[in-house]
Amino acid sequence: MDTAAPDASAGLVFREATDADVDTLVALIESAYRGDSSRAGWTTEADILEGRRTDPEGVLAVIKSPDSRLLTVERDGRVVACCQLEHRGTHAYFGMFAVSPALQGAGLGKVIIAEAERQARDTWGATEMHMTVISVRDDLIAWYERRGYRRTGRMTPFPYGDERFGIPQRADLQFELLVKALA
């Protein structure tokens, strides 16, 4: 899960998503988190949430937002990962992070999050990166902690009843804010 291949960044192209990327990005995000295809990687939420993770309207809204960018990562002309960066004053919000399940565990995520942090710092002067993670995702939170993020204990409720965020399979879901200082 955490073994970085020496060539994890080899051949990667980072670019901002365009309207033409919407369907590809929705499929990537869904494959990384929901349904049986997500079980090929380690970031699956299939046991805690059913239904969709995102939709074309949500992805397009991020692309169109003047304070946001959807960083798209390609290798050999194929979209293999993405993440959202949103400028929020002195900090940036990191979200919509997805790596193709077949490529998870090879160090690609580390490369992408480092580039996202660099862009937030260099483009917006962000001094911190914020993200929210479902609090029961212990392995994922531990991965972020190894990248320098710290748990804040600040929780927000999961939007039960709003199927835009999925259909919860348990009653104890909430989001925890994780924060990292960007040096």
Side-chain angles (χ1 to χ4, degrees), residues 91-117:
H91 75 272
Y93 178 80
F94 179 82
M96 219 178 265
F97 186 27
V99 175
S100 172
L103 299 175
Q104 291 178 16
L108 189 57
K110 293 177 189 178
V111 172
I112 294 164
I113 199 167
E115 175 61 14
E117 292 165 357

Side-chain angles (χ1 to χ4, degrees), residues 116-137:
E117 292 165 357
R118 185 196 67 74
Q119 285 196 24
R121 186 179 52 249
D122 294 355
T123 303
W124 297 318
T127 58
E128 287 184 333
M129 186 78 88
H130 291 197
M131 70 174 71
T132 54
V133 179
I134 297 172
S135 62
V136 299
R137 303 285 320 277

Side-chain angles (χ1 to χ4, degrees), residues 8-146:
S9 63
L12 294 183
V13 175
F14 292 86
R15 63 174 177 80
E16 287 191 45
T18 67
D19 297 10
D21 295 312
V22 169
D23 291 339
T24 299
L25 292 170
V26 169
L28 170 69
I29 294 163
E30 292 299 313
S31 75
Y33 291 98
R34 301 290 164 79
D36 288 336
S37 66
S38 69
R39 296 181 193 282
W42 68 275
T43 61
T44 184
E45 295 172 344
D47 295 327
I48 60 172
L49 291 161
E50 291 182 354
R52 66 183 182 193
R53 179 87 186 309
T54 192
D55 58 27
E57 295 78 21
V59 171
L60 190 59
V62 172
I63 291 171
K64 295 290 190 193
S65 172
D67 293 324
S68 242
R69 65 176 51 167
L70 190 50
L71 191 59
T72 302
V73 185
E74 293 180 341
R75 179 177 277 154
D76 299 324
R78 189 173 66 92
V79 174
V80 297
C82 68
C83 66
Q84 171 193 9
L85 292 171
E86 184 177 322
H87 185 212
R88 295 183 179 177
T90 60
H91 75 272
Y93 178 80
F94 179 82
M96 219 178 265
F97 186 27
V99 175
S100 172
L103 299 175
Q104 291 178 16
L108 189 57
K110 293 177 189 178
V111 172
I112 294 164
I113 199 167
E115 175 61 14
E117 292 165 357
R118 185 196 67 74
Q119 285 196 24
R121 186 179 52 249
D122 294 355
T123 303
W124 297 318
T127 58
E128 287 184 333
M129 186 78 88
H130 291 197
M131 70 174 71
T132 54
V133 179
I134 297 172
S135 62
V136 299
R137 303 285 320 277
D138 295 329
D139 289 346
L140 185 58
I141 291 171
W143 188 87
Y144 285 121
E145 287 179 310
R146 290 189 297 275

